[in-house]
Amino acid sequence: MTDAAIIVAAGRGLRAGGERPKQWQELAGKRVADWTIRAILRAGLSPVVVVLHPDDMEIAGLPDQVIRVAGGATRDASVRAGLDALDEAQVQNVLIHDVARPCVPSGVIEAVREALKTAEAAAPGLPVTDALWRAEDGRVAGVQSREGLYRAQTPQGFRLGPLKAAHAAHPGGAADDVEVARAAGIPVTIVPGHEDNLKITLPEDFARAAAILGRAMDIRMGNGFDVHAFEDGDGCWLCGIKVPHDRALKGHSDADVGMHAVTDAIYGALAEGDIGRHFPPSDPQWKGCESHVFLRHAVELATQKGYTLSNIDCTLICERPKVGPHAAAMQARMAEIMGLAPERVSIKATTSEKLGFTGREEGIAAMASAVLIAK
Ligand code: MG
């Protein structure tokens, strides 16, 4: 038996402004609904039903594992459609969440699930702390006790079977599922909500939500540095391009010093050592290996660990060969290997003013940075 989730995303949310319903508006680089679905999937709820407006059923970009269900004309009807998609033989509890709450902390979801181990129903709430007024014509006409008052949040959790029965018996027009459950006599336990779990309602709520998501964003940065000496030859592999020169770079692999620095930057961001750890130079199978094998491995490792490569920046340090005429080709090749848009790949060069080993043209050095963002 599992804990399932229903994300109610069928509304048209006009108060939030914008040309599209609020759940499809952009928020910190994704759509509101994408953040909400991500939070629910990360909490380990399964299956996850997303109730969509009938016009949105084919909307692109939702994760494969979510079940799309067409909603009804009212919130109640949409929730009922979502409940009908769940199997009582497999699902014990169902958590119903507003799509407009993309910043729900994992702790709030966990508190609801924990309470459901003993309670018939549980929902997050925050005690009202501000004084409350009654108003008439813009003037305070009286005060209202805040004693025992809570602000209701979601996800609200219930046993699947009893909630289905409660919805079937309800006349409609409920503000939330707690109201439906209570009308059927189901007691609802309050668990602590969170101020971050705001409901996007007004245009200014987008900025608040973006700040909360930015604070929680997992960004990882790594750097890489590499040096290869010159030897006799007719050109150097630099960032995936064979650059004609009167010398070559010496190394166990193709000695692509720039690509090695970038690869090490990605491994560094993952705290996964360097190329030597994954492709030991003592192992003859990597002799003469083309360096894109290493770079692809680092990018795949990042993906496996749940990160997306955001951008890289690489600086080649040498007097010669001149890098400028080849920089655009290097950028395109590196972008292709990493599966990145070229504008996220920076390849530049500097001399060292004839100082040091690079200045004496004994070899080439490269340094690189990489930024990874958790998906
Ligand atoms: Mg190297």
Side-chain angles (χ1 to χ4, degrees), residues 226-228 253 255-257 260 275:
D226 197 25
V227 173
H228 282 263
S253 64
D256 189 330
V257 62
H260 292 181
I275 295 177

Side-chain angles (χ1 to χ4, degrees), residues 73-333:
T74 62
R75 188 185 185 284
D76 306 314
S78 292
V79 172
R80 281 198 300 275
L83 290 169
D84 286 343
L86 295 173
D87 181 353
E88 281 177 58
Q90 286 165 11
V91 174
Q92 182 182 26
N93 299 316
V94 59
L95 274 64
I96 300 177
H97 189 57
D98 290 330
V99 73
R101 295 187 189 269
C103 311
V104 56
S106 59
V108 170
I109 302 172
E110 203 40 56
V112 172
R113 296 180 76 182
E114 186 62 31
L116 287 174
K117 288 179 179 168
T118 51
E120 288 176 60
L126 284 174
V128 172
T129 52
D130 293 328
L132 295 176
W133 299 329
R134 276 190 307 278
E136 283 167 21
D137 300 328
R139 291 194 176 152
V140 178
V143 291
Q144 172 81 45
S145 168
R146 62 183 175 234
E147 182 73 25
L149 291 183
Y150 282 76
R151 290 186 283 142
Q153 297 189 335
T154 71
Q156 300 178 347
F158 311 88
R159 305 272 183 267
L160 177 59
L163 185 67
K164 274 189 178 180
H167 264 279
H170 198 271
D176 63 8
D177 300 285
V178 163
E179 187 178 337
V180 174
R182 282 188 28 80
I186 300 171
V188 181
T189 296
I190 302 172
V191 301
H194 199 290
E195 287 292 350
D196 285 353
N197 191 17
L198 81 160
K199 182 175 186 177
I200 292 179
T201 309
L202 303 171
E204 54 267 34
D205 294 334
F206 282 90
R208 246 183 92 203
I212 292 165
L213 292 167
R215 169 151 52 77
M217 198 175 272
D218 181 6
I219 297 175
R220 308 191 72 162
M221 187 269 177
N223 67 70
F225 179 75
D226 197 25
V227 173
H228 282 263
F230 282 124
E231 63 178 6
D232 291 339
D234 61 356
C236 308
W237 282 100
L238 291 171
C239 292
I241 301 296
K242 178 88 179 271
V243 177
H245 191 44
D246 55 9
R247 315 215 67 192
L249 289 173
K250 185 174 163 184
H252 191 73
S253 64
D254 63 11
D256 189 330
V257 62
M259 206 179 290
H260 292 181
V262 171
T263 305
D264 277 351
I266 297 169
Y267 285 136
L270 296 168
E272 276 283 344
D274 59 14
I275 295 177
R277 178 155 136 199
H278 297 275
F279 301 93
S282 55
D283 186 337
Q285 68 170 307
W286 309 122
K287 177 117 187 83
C289 182
E290 293 184 18
S291 295
H292 62 78
V293 172
F294 311 148
L295 181 55
R296 283 218 172 90
H297 177 265
V299 173
E300 276 162 25
L301 190 60
T303 304
Q304 278 170 27
K305 287 175 158 265
Y307 290 91
T308 300
L309 183 56
S310 175
N311 71 294
I312 66 102
D313 181 21
C314 178
T315 304
L316 298 165
I317 305 163
C318 59
E319 305 294 325
R320 292 189 307 136
K322 290 294 166 211
V323 169
H326 307 282
M330 292 175 181
Q331 180 189 35
R333 177 64 183 141

Side-chain angles (χ1 to χ4, degrees), residues 15-97:
R15 270 185 296 167
E19 292 179 355
R20 283 171 287 165
K22 61 186 174 185
Q23 63 270 37
W24 306 121
Q25 290 187 38
E26 208 258 11
L27 170 68
K30 299 178 198 281
R31 297 169 300 187
V32 170
D34 297 327
W35 287 110
T36 308
I37 292 168
R38 182 175 106 136
I40 293 295
L41 287 174
R42 282 192 163 190
L45 296 163
S46 176
V48 173
V49 173
V50 180
V51 184
L52 298 164
H53 189 278
D55 293 346
D56 295 338
M57 285 297 284
E58 303 301 321
I59 200 152
L62 301 187
D64 291 339
Q65 67 262 50
V66 306
I67 301 167
R68 299 175 185 224
V69 168
T74 62
R75 188 185 185 284
D76 306 314
S78 292
V79 172
R80 281 198 300 275
L83 290 169
D84 286 343
L86 295 173
D87 181 353
E88 281 177 58
Q90 286 165 11
V91 174
Q92 182 182 26
N93 299 316
V94 59
L95 274 64
I96 300 177
H97 189 57

